[in-house]
Amino acid sequence: MTRTSAALGRIQPSATLAMSAKVNELKRAGVDVIGLSAGEPDFDTPDFVKEAGIAAIRNGQTKYTDVDGTVELKDAIALKFKRDNGLAYDRSQISVNSGGKHTLFNALVATVDVGDEVIIPAPYWVSYPDIVNFAGGTPVFIAAPASQGYKITPQQLDAAITPKTRWVLLNSPSNPSGAAYSFDELKALGEVLLRHPHVLVMTDDMYEHVWYAPTPFATIAQACPDLYERTLTVNGCSKAFSMTGWRIGFAGGPAWIIKAMGKLQSQSTSNPCSISQAAAVAALTGDQDFLEERNAAFKKRRDMVVAMLNDAPGLNCPMPEGAFYVYPDASGLIGKTTPKGVKIDSDETLIAYFLEEARVAAVHGGAFGLSPAFRISYATSDEILKTACTRIQQACALLK
């Protein structure tokens, strides 16, 4: 009677959400803990976006919409892709979903069968392999360590592709590392993919507008136009527009994939929230100038966090080029012992020590497929970040 499905048994709960829940539990108990595990901007949704949502409620836009997005929002997304990425998509090539995770889920579940392989560079966002596993596919990981700037090489990609490869999944800027591929780096990966016409390409560009690199953001269909017909370009409103709770993700790509995603969505969630869709139209078509100001704030935080973590004994923190995460290499702390005599034998043990000793919550590198490391989100105030990094420095110094 209590049996659950085999598909459910192939996945694990999200490690990032589990840590966030633990932080909330500790705070409710009165513990002075700093949570740096959640990937959520601390900035509020822009007022003009909120006003559009309020207007939608007052105007009665509270009914069902087309399953995979309103005409107005699809047109706004098409405008965004053309304006920001030089990519032309019509309405039949655009899908709107309840958040970026939903977009990825729909695309993979609608196209992956048992025996199909999906190439995922590591470190990776925690949900990628679990969604592939749920669909019955096989995740194939390519290790991209700190020595490579947390980015895969064309040679690694070529070696990983087999006749069973269904998708290659790219994420730039990356969650968890903040690593960002340049136009030329994407073009080089694209040249490899052109030699393997059976492989589809999915690019998760959710952090497109949280960008610090000296060269402009690029997505792979832009860098390698010959891949356009087999590339799904995924994005959303959550990060750039501080709309995590509004739950709007979207994708542009081949009409047959978009149609398949819509078919799946018609039997699962139906349409995304009508009010959120109206707000997303305003976000994508309104004034974008605020993005630069917020980017400057994130960059300042990044610089401080990287500097402070590199001053912590045993940590090596590369400088990310986008997103709002750092991913310090913790190799120098493995094998050390805490003041209570506990041996740090993994990055999971390390973040447990940070939580107990420093009252700072991070997410261990094992959850992202590359150890020993951990992820910290710097999407919070300068003051909180300075306190958290000071605590981490002190905790590292206590290890022997």
Side-chain angles (χ1 to χ4, degrees), residues 151 172-173 178-185 208 210-218 295 299 302-303 319-322:
K151 292 183 278 191
S172 172
Y181 290 92
S182 69
F183 183 97
D184 289 341
E185 287 169 334
E208 168 185 6
V210 190
W211 183 265
Y212 324 115
T215 55
F217 172 84
N295 238 26
K299 185 175 184 294
R302 176 203 67 170
D303 293 347
M319 182 70 78
E321 295 179 294

Side-chain angles (χ1 to χ4, degrees), residues 125-145:
W125 183 47
V126 294
S127 292
Y128 294 154
D130 280 286
I131 295 172
V132 173
N133 285 328
F134 182 87
T138 302
V140 175
F141 304 114
I142 302 177

Side-chain angles (χ1 to χ4, degrees), residues 1-78:
M1 179 180 291
T2 59
R3 177 177 61 87
T4 58
S5 70
L8 189 66
R10 292 194 292 267
I11 65 175
Q12 301 295 323
S14 167
T16 55
L17 295 180
M19 181 56 80
S20 295
K22 191 169 186 176
V23 168
N24 290 336
E25 181 183 347
L26 288 169
K27 287 183 176 180
R28 285 192 295 268
V31 178
D32 174 24
V33 60
I34 298 175
L36 301 180
S37 57
E40 183 171 50
D42 59 320
F43 298 113
D44 197 8
T45 304
D47 285 341
F48 74 91
V49 177
K50 290 191 285 187
E51 290 302 323
I54 293 168
I57 296 171
R58 289 177 174 155
N59 293 335
Q61 292 176 248
T62 56
K63 309 296 184 183
Y64 293 129
T65 73
D66 290 341
V67 165
D68 64 347
T70 63
V71 167
E72 293 80 9
L73 182 49
K74 286 194 172 190
D75 287 348
I77 292 167

Side-chain angles (χ1 to χ4, degrees), residues 280-322:
V281 171
L284 295 172
T285 60
D287 185 1
Q288 309 288 296
D289 289 347
F290 73 94
L291 293 172
E292 186 175 344
E293 180 182 342
R294 293 186 177 187
N295 238 26
F298 280 134
K299 185 175 184 294
K300 180 183 175 185
R301 295 171 183 179
R302 176 203 67 170
D303 293 347
M304 178 182 70
V305 169
V306 169
M308 291 189 72
L309 290 178
N310 278 326
D311 282 342
L315 294 182
N316 171 33
C317 187
M319 182 70 78
E321 295 179 294

Side-chain angles (χ1 to χ4, degrees), residues 180-227:
Y181 290 92
S182 69
F183 183 97
D184 289 341
E185 287 169 334
L186 289 172
K187 188 173 182 179
L189 294 176
E191 292 297 326
V192 172
L193 291 164
L194 287 174
R195 300 198 295 269
H196 302 278
H198 67 289
V199 178
L200 298 169
V201 187
M202 189 181 304
T203 176
D204 180 352
D205 297 346
M206 188 61 73
Y207 297 90
E208 168 185 6
H209 292 298
V210 190
W211 183 265
Y212 324 115
T215 55
F217 172 84
T219 191
I220 195 163
Q222 182 181 17
C224 196
D226 288 341
L227 290 175

Side-chain angles (χ1 to χ4, degrees), residues 264-279:
L264 177 60
Q265 188 157 304
S266 75
Q267 294 291 10
S268 55
T269 63
S270 295
N271 64 272
C273 172
S274 60
I275 299 156
S276 297
Q277 290 189 69

